[in-house]
Amino acid sequence: NGEIPYGAVGFVQSIVPTLRSKGYQVGFVLYRRDESAVSPSLQKGSYLDTDAIELTFNFSMHNQRICDVFSRGITMLGRHARVGTGLSCIYHQSGVTLPWSPPGWACIVTHHAPFVREVVRTLGEELARQAFEDTGNKLEALSRVQCAGLTWLRDHERARCLEFSPLQRELLVQFGVPANQCYVIDPPVFQQSYVTGSDISLSATS
């Protein structure tokens, strides 16, 4: 919902004009989970008056098939970007989508949602299922894809995490993500205050 001015959506709304003011092309990949779909698909559209594609998928699909379709969508959106020059970057609003990143693109991620393992550790499994409104195997599925995102981060040293809280950064470091990949940025995005380093170096993922 593009009308919500706070939280994750508000953060994205602040990113768009800031990037445009710096001369960057902006595009969106929107996601729609459809448990009846048998294969991932793309549909062109727009979001916040910006070019967008919608990726339809579900977690029962083969991961490589999702990766291929996601990569095709990124190519469609970034057809005018200069891949490999450091000017092309994919911002992930969740670590869940990180493993779909095509090679040759720099990646940034912000972890908005709580980590399942921490919620279970704090509240216990039964209350965690209530918190996530789990009526099937949602908890296990979400935990699995979150762990896959963390593994991807540990394996791609050029990716960067931009978190809203030092506590979230500390948690990522506890999970094994190198500290030099994790930064804290105070929203809105143009108020830049980093915990580590004075600059965020972005280069293409391998």
Side-chain angles (χ1 to χ4, degrees):
N1 186 344
E3 301 302 318
I4 301 176
Y6 49 83
V9 174
F11 181 61
V12 170
Q13 287 179 332
S14 72
I15 287 176
V16 174
T18 301
L19 290 178
R20 283 177 173 164
S21 71
K22 301 295 184 181
Y24 289 98
Q25 175 195 0
V26 180
F28 285 99
V29 180
L30 309 176
Y31 306 94
R32 184 171 69 90
R33 286 181 62 182
D34 183 352
E35 299 305 324
S36 66
V38 296
S39 61
S41 61
L42 294 174
Q43 182 175 341
K44 291 184 179 180
S46 65
Y47 180 69
L48 298 179
D49 297 321
T50 302
D51 288 343
I53 56 171
E54 182 179 80
L55 170 65
T56 298
F57 78 105
N58 59 59
F59 288 118
S60 65
M61 296 175 181
H62 193 279
N63 191 63
Q64 188 57 51
R65 296 180 69 183
I66 302 176
C67 289
D68 293 342
V69 174
F70 182 87
S71 180
R72 189 165 73 245
I74 292 295
T75 300
M76 291 167 56
L77 290 175
R79 60 190 178 279
H80 302 304
R82 287 179 285 168
V83 179
T85 64
L87 299 179
S88 308
C89 180
I90 302 173
Y91 167 71
H92 294 264
Q93 198 171 322
S94 165
V96 170
T97 57
L98 278 172
W100 303 345
S101 303
W105 290 76
C107 291
I108 295 175
V109 62
T110 300
H111 295 86
H112 297 279
F115 289 103
V116 169
R117 68 169 79 173
E118 286 300 295
V119 176
V120 171
R121 183 182 65 83
T122 304
L123 301 179
E125 185 172 332
E126 183 176 349
L127 288 178
R129 289 190 184 280
Q130 294 181 31
F132 283 96
E133 300 180 345
D134 184 6
T135 57
N137 65 341
K138 180 180 179 180
L139 207 66
E140 289 79 5
L142 183 55
S143 179
R144 184 170 61 251
V145 295
Q146 284 182 342
C147 288
L150 290 170
T151 298
W152 190 93
L153 276 174
R154 290 191 292 264
D155 291 342
H156 292 78
E157 62 182 17
R158 296 172 180 172
R160 297 293 182 266
C161 304
L162 294 185
E163 308 303 333
F164 294 155
S165 163
L167 293 176
Q168 186 79 323
R169 177 182 181 272
E170 291 172 11
L171 191 60
L172 289 169
V173 173
Q174 290 176 19
F175 288 164
V177 180
N180 62 0
Q181 290 180 231
C182 303
Y183 298 77
V184 172
I185 186 168
D186 297 326
V189 69
F190 49 80
Q191 293 179 355
Q192 298 180 359
S193 175
Y194 307 128
V195 167
T196 58
S198 58
D199 189 21
I200 298 178
S201 176
L202 291 176
S203 52
T205 59
S206 56

